[in-house]
Amino acid sequence: MMDALRVWRASSHLIGFASMAAAAAVPTASRTRFRFHQIRCCSSAAAAPAAATPAPATSDRRRRSPSSTSDRESVRAIRLKKVEELRSKGYEPYAYKWDRSNTAKELQDAYDHLASGEECKEVSVSISGRVIARRAFGKLAFLTLRDDSGTIQLYCEKESLTDDLFEQLKTFVDIGDILGASGSIKKTEKDKYHGLNDVDKRYRQRYVDMIANPEVADVFRIRAKIVSEIRKTMESLGFIEVETPVLQGAAGGAEARPFVTYHNSLGRDLYLRIATELHLKRMLVGGLEKVYEIGRIFRNEGISTRHNPEFTTIEMYEAYSDYESMMTMAEEIVTRCALAVHGKLNIDYQGTKISLQRPWRRQSMHNLVKEATGVDFNEFGDNVEAAKEVAQGILRTKMEDKSDTLLGTCPSVGHVLNEVFETIIESTLIQPTFVLDYPIEISPLAKPHRRYTGLTERFELFICGREIANAFSELTDPIDQRSRFEEQIKQHNAKRAALTAESKSTEVQSGVDDYAYEVALDEDFVTSLEYGMPPASGMGLGIDRLVMLLTNSASIRDVIAFPVLKIQQ
C-alpha cells in the first residue's frame, strides 16, 4: 500500500461502489455509495503513465500519439514534481499500511438491499483501492476506486472538508493513485468505464492491462483455480508430485527444437527441457508408481495464438496401466476443472457450444483421414512415394506449393499420414475427440500396438481443433527404445540434410533452422530401462490450452501473464 498525502477528516462526504464490466461500457444500474468521515489518499508511482493530469501543451501536440515517449516523460515529470511537493509539505507519498474493514465486493453484497438513493448512516466502513476514474465539478469531486473484488466510488464535498483539503484533493490525486477511505453508505447509479484496448500494450505491460481491464485478473484467478483443481485430482488418485531438471544434458522426450545454453563451469552445452517425460519415467524405475509434475516447458519454435516458446504442462505416469487408463484420466481432469470453473459441462468457446459430457468420442487416425479424404493409407504398405503422390493431391488445395516441401522430407508412410491428418483433420475436431493409434514412425516412446502392426498405443486429445493432451502405453523394452531413438536421430539428420540441399538450390531457408540442432541419444535413460521399468501409461496435458478453453480465450497470450513477444521497434 502506498502512503497517504494526509488524512482528511470530514463531517460528511460520500463513497460508492459498482461492479466493472471488462473493456466495454458498463450499462447504467444501481450501486452503493459510502458517506465517509475519513479519507487517506496516496500517490501512485511517479512514473505511472495513467495520470489524469495532462502533459503541457506543445505546438506539435496533435501530431503526436498519446502514448509517445515525450508524452509519457511529460506525465512522469509532473508526477515526480507532485511527489516533491508532497514531501515539502511534510507528507510521505508512499504508505506503510491501511486498515481496511471490507472489500468493495463485500460491501456491495452486504448493502445490495438498499433502495436507490437510500443512505445507511449508522455504519462506518473502511475501504481502499486504485483510482480508475476522477471527476471534479466545482465543489464536488468523484473518485472511483477498484480493488481486486470490484469498484467503489468516493463522493467528496468541499463543505465537508476542513481547511484547504478539497483543493489538495483536486491538485494531488490522479488516476492511478491508491487511496484508503472510511465512511457511511448510500446507493446511487453506476458509471460507465472503458478499459485498455491497445493489444500490444496489453501483453507487453500486463500490469497496465490488469489495472485497466478488471476481467484480465479474473482469467489468472481462474487459471490458479484450474491448476489447484488438477493437483487435487492427482492427489485424490494417489499421485505424488515431483520435480525434474529444467537444464538437461540432452533435449529428450519429444521431437522439438530446444533452447541451447552454455554452462561456463562445466564447459558444455545444456538444453532447456522440451518435456519432463524421461526423468519422470526414471522415477517409475526407482519404485514410485504414480508420479506427476506441473512445470514449464521450453520449445524454440514459432509464436502464434496457440503457441508460446514457454508453456505449462502436467505430465503424469502410472505403473501397471495402459493408454486406456489415460483416456479416463484426461476426461476426469478436464471435467473436474470445468465443474470447478463453470459448475457445468456444457460450455461456450468463441461462439461454439462444447459438450464435455463423458464419454468422449474415440477414433483412430487412419479412420479419421479415410472419412475425410476417402483414402486408406493402410493400402500403401511401405510405398512412401505412392503415399506422397496421393497426399500431394489432397494437400495442394490446402497448402498450395508448400505441400511438396513438407511431404518431400517425409521418410515413411506414417509421416505422410500424419501430415495429412494435421493439415486436413485437426481443425475439424471441435467436440472432445481422442485420436488413437498413431504410426510407430512418429511415436518413438510409445509401445507397439498389441493388435495392429506398424501402429502404437498412443492417443492425442483434441478440443476446439487444438491438441490438449498426448499419451501412450509406455515403451519399456530397452532394446526397442534404443532402436527407436537411433531411427529418430537418423530421420532428423536426413531431414536436415534434405532441407539444407534444397535451400542451397533455391536460396530459400525452407525450414532449415528448424532442424539445425543436434539430436542425441539419452544413454542414461536407456540404461534406466535396462534396470526394469514396470508396464505403464503416461500423459502430457497442456494447461495453457485448457485454461484457454475454460476462460473462452482466443489466444494463448491471454492466459499467460507475461508471454514472449517480438522486440518493440
Side-chain angles (χ1 to χ4, degrees):
M1 175 71 67
M2 298 178 182
D3 208 313
L5 57 91
R6 67 168 299 160
V7 175
W8 287 307
R9 300 193 178 276
S11 58
S12 69
H13 46 270
L14 300 177
I15 290 189
F17 73 77
S19 60
M20 304 293 288
V26 179
T28 300
S30 63
R31 65 149 181 254
T32 307
R33 277 186 177 166
F34 298 86
R35 181 181 295 278
F36 280 80
H37 57 263
Q38 184 184 73
I39 293 180
R40 180 178 293 268
C41 67
C42 54
S43 178
S44 64
T53 308
T58 60
S59 59
D60 63 341
R61 175 73 175 174
R62 294 186 179 182
R63 295 195 295 271
R64 293 202 312 266
S65 165
S67 61
S68 68
T69 301
S70 56
D71 286 347
R72 291 196 301 271
E73 288 303 314
S74 297
V75 171
R76 185 173 185 272
I78 291 171
R79 302 307 304 277
L80 286 171
K81 184 178 180 181
K82 288 185 177 182
V83 168
E84 293 173 0
E85 289 180 11
L86 286 171
R87 284 183 170 145
S88 70
K89 294 177 182 294
Y91 306 134
E92 172 51 48
Y94 300 99
Y96 289 91
K97 69 175 293 185
W98 173 261
D99 293 323
R100 180 174 63 176
S101 66
N102 301 91
T103 66
K105 180 67 164 55
E106 288 170 348
L107 293 177
Q108 187 173 15
D109 292 341
Y111 296 96
D112 186 58
H113 64 278
L114 294 178
S116 181
E118 183 180 355
E119 183 176 353
C120 180
K121 297 181 179 180
E122 305 83 46
V123 177
S124 178
V125 296
S126 174
I127 54 88
S128 58
R130 187 184 295 273
V131 178
I132 61 169
R134 176 184 180 278
R135 292 175 295 159
F137 308 97
K139 297 181 179 181
L140 295 177
F142 298 86
L143 303 173
T144 301
L145 307 187
R146 189 176 73 225
D147 61 19
D148 68 355
S149 70
T151 60
I152 195 165
Q153 188 182 65
L154 286 76
Y155 170 55
C156 306
E157 298 173 309
K158 185 174 183 179
E159 289 76 9
S160 302
L161 300 171
T162 59
D163 303 327
D164 61 345
L165 295 181
F166 185 77
E167 294 305 319
Q168 289 190 28
L169 175 69
K170 293 200 299 181
T171 301
F172 290 108
V173 177
D174 289 315
I175 291 176
D177 288 349
I178 297 174
L179 279 74
S182 59
S184 57
I185 306 162
K186 183 177 181 180
K187 195 169 190 176
T188 59
E189 297 299 315
K190 186 179 292 186
D191 286 333
K192 294 183 177 181
Y193 174 72
H194 299 273
L196 176 66
N197 293 315
D198 185 326
V199 175
D200 183 73
K201 191 180 189 70
R202 287 187 56 214
Y203 297 138
R204 205 170 294 280
Q205 293 181 281
R206 181 66 84 185
Y207 45 91
V208 178
D209 187 23
M210 294 173 69
I211 291 170
N213 299 316
E215 78 282 2
V216 172
D218 291 338
V219 169
F220 297 114
R221 290 190 186 94
I222 293 173
R223 181 185 178 110
K225 180 181 289 188
I226 289 170
V227 173
S228 175
E229 191 63 31
I230 290 173
R231 280 198 167 94
K232 290 177 187 176
T233 302
M234 301 309 295
E235 290 170 6
S236 72
L237 297 172
F239 281 76
I240 297 172
E241 184 172 11
V242 299
E243 294 177 316
T244 61
V246 172
L247 289 174
Q248 301 183 352
E255 187 175 358
R257 184 181 181 186
F259 287 95
V260 186
T261 188
Y262 184 79
H263 193 288
N264 291 325
S265 181
L266 295 177
R268 59 176 291 197
D269 284 338
L270 292 175
Y271 302 86
L272 297 185
R273 66 186 180 193
I274 57 176
T276 56
E277 181 171 358
L278 300 189
H279 283 87
L280 288 173
K281 288 180 180 177
R282 287 171 168 91
M283 303 299 282
L284 295 187
V285 173
L288 295 180
E289 295 182 355
K290 293 183 177 183
V291 296
Y292 78 96
E293 180 174 11
I294 295 175
R296 211 68 163 172
I297 302 299
F298 307 88
R299 298 190 177 181
N300 197 354
E301 298 171 342
I303 297 174
S304 71
T305 56
R306 63 179 68 182
H307 296 97
N308 193 64
E310 55 175 324
F311 56 97
T312 304
T313 68
I314 175 173
E315 285 199 41
M316 63 204 72
Y317 293 87
E318 181 181 21
Y320 309 111
S321 67
D322 63 10
Y323 76 147
E324 293 278 351
S325 302
M326 286 300 150
M327 289 185 223
T328 302
M329 183 75 75
E331 290 179 333
E332 187 73 12
I333 290 172
V334 175
T335 54
R336 283 199 190 190
C337 289
L339 289 172
V341 173
H342 296 289
K344 59 183 181 180
L345 297 178
N346 294 311
I347 64 174
D348 179 89
Y349 182 75
Q350 301 294 299
T352 300
K353 301 297 181 183
I354 304 297
S355 174
L356 299 176
Q357 298 287 345
R358 300 163 70 175
W360 296 342
R361 180 190 183 195
R362 302 182 181 190
Q363 189 57 269
S364 72
M365 177 186 282
H366 274 88
N367 286 344
L368 287 169
V369 171
K370 185 178 179 180
E371 286 175 7
T373 67
V375 178
D376 184 354
F377 277 80
N378 283 311
E379 296 177 353
F380 295 109
D382 294 329
N383 192 337
V384 182
E385 295 307 317
K388 287 181 181 179
E389 184 177 349
V390 171
Q392 283 170 351
I394 296 171
L395 299 184
R396 196 162 283 133
T397 55
K398 271 270 187 180
M399 305 189 67
E400 300 175 348
D401 59 338
K402 294 182 181 179
S403 62
D404 293 344
T405 301
L406 284 173
L407 293 171
T409 59
C410 287
S412 70
V413 174
H415 284 87
V416 175
L417 171 68
N418 188 56
E419 289 292 348
V420 174
F421 170 78
E422 289 183 350
T423 306
I424 303 294
I425 310 301
E426 276 192 8
S427 61
T428 69
L429 302 176
I430 305 303
Q431 300 302 322
T433 303
F434 291 112
V435 179
L436 312 177
D437 306 341
Y438 280 54
I440 198 167
E441 300 94 331
I442 62 170
S443 309
L445 293 157
K447 209 172 190 69
H449 203 287
R450 67 193 80 178
R451 290 187 298 275
Y452 304 113
T453 302
L455 301 181
T456 58
E457 294 193 349
R458 173 187 176 188
F459 74 77
E460 288 185 325
L461 168 62
F462 289 87
I463 307 177
C464 294
R466 297 191 181 106
E467 176 198 340
I468 301 294
N470 182 24
F472 347 115
S473 297
E474 298 297 337
L475 182 59
T476 56
D477 179 345
I479 306 303
D480 191 2
Q481 184 65 85
R482 178 179 292 277
S483 176
R484 302 267 202 99
F485 277 159
E486 289 172 347
E487 181 60 27
Q488 186 182 34
I489 294 170
K490 180 180 176 181
Q491 290 174 5
H492 173 85
N493 292 338
K495 185 171 285 190
R496 180 173 59 180
L499 289 171
T500 301
E502 182 180 349
S503 68
K504 288 180 180 178
S505 63
T506 61
E507 296 185 355
V508 177
Q509 282 297 97
S510 301
V512 174
D513 289 344
D514 292 338
Y515 293 87
Y517 61 96
E518 295 289 337
V519 176
L521 194 155
D522 190 333
E523 288 285 356
D524 182 70
F525 175 69
V526 176
T527 298
S528 74
L529 294 185
E530 293 176 352
Y531 278 85
M533 176 176 150
S537 62
M539 177 171 65
L541 186 148
I543 290 178
D544 305 294
R545 291 184 180 179
L546 178 59
V547 176
M548 288 174 65
L549 174 69
L550 297 180
T551 59
N552 196 19
S553 299
S555 171
I556 196 170
R557 286 171 289 189
D558 294 328
V559 301
I560 295 177
F562 303 102
V564 176
L565 300 170
K566 294 179 180 178
I567 296 175
Q568 194 170 26
Q569 299 298 322

